[in-house]
């Protein structure tokens, strides 16, 4: 999966900032994490039902399942 952008898509459009990025494995949407004030990655899950997101941070390879609220390790 290729990321849609190198930053949070909604924050970039708003001219806002984010803390960390998550990439949706369903569609490639990049959103900011729940530590960011806008929490766009979680909002994307609620809007689309795309349940698995990957960290989009250098050196991180974990996944997050919004449905089960679990961190998953990539194989």
């Amino acid at each position: 999966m290729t990321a849609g952008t190198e930053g949070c898509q909604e924050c970039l459009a708003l001219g806002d900032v984010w803390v960390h990025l998550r990439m949706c494995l369903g569609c490639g949407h990049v959103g900011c994490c729940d530590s960011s004030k806008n929490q766009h990655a979680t909002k994307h899950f609620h809007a689309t039902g795309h349940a698995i997101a990957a960290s989009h941070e250098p050196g991180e390879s974990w996944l997050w399942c919004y449905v089960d609220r679990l961190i998953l390790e990539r194989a």
Side-chain angles (χ1 to χ4, degrees), residues 2-26:
T2 302
T5 63
E6 289 304 312
C8 175
Q9 293 173 218
E10 290 85 359
C11 287
L12 287 169
L14 294 169
D16 215 339
V17 297
W18 57 85
V19 177
H20 298 287
L21 298 171
R22 309 293 176 242
M23 183 181 74
C24 174
L25 293 186

Side-chain angles (χ1 to χ4, degrees), residues 16-75:
D16 215 339
V17 297
W18 57 85
V19 177
H20 298 287
L21 298 171
R22 309 293 176 242
M23 183 181 74
C24 174
L25 293 186
C27 68
H29 172 272
V30 176
C32 55
C33 71
D34 286 353
S35 295
S36 301
K37 69 178 184 175
N38 294 310
Q39 301 178 347
H40 287 122
T42 296
K43 289 177 181 175
H44 176 75
F45 160 66
H46 289 296
T48 64
H50 298 166
I52 307 294
S55 174
H56 196 54
E57 295 296 318
E60 295 183 358
S61 61
W62 54 267
L63 308 172
W64 174 254
C65 177
Y66 285 99
V67 173
D68 296 323
R69 302 184 51 81
L70 292 172
I71 292 176
L72 309 166
E73 294 296 325
R74 281 190 165 168

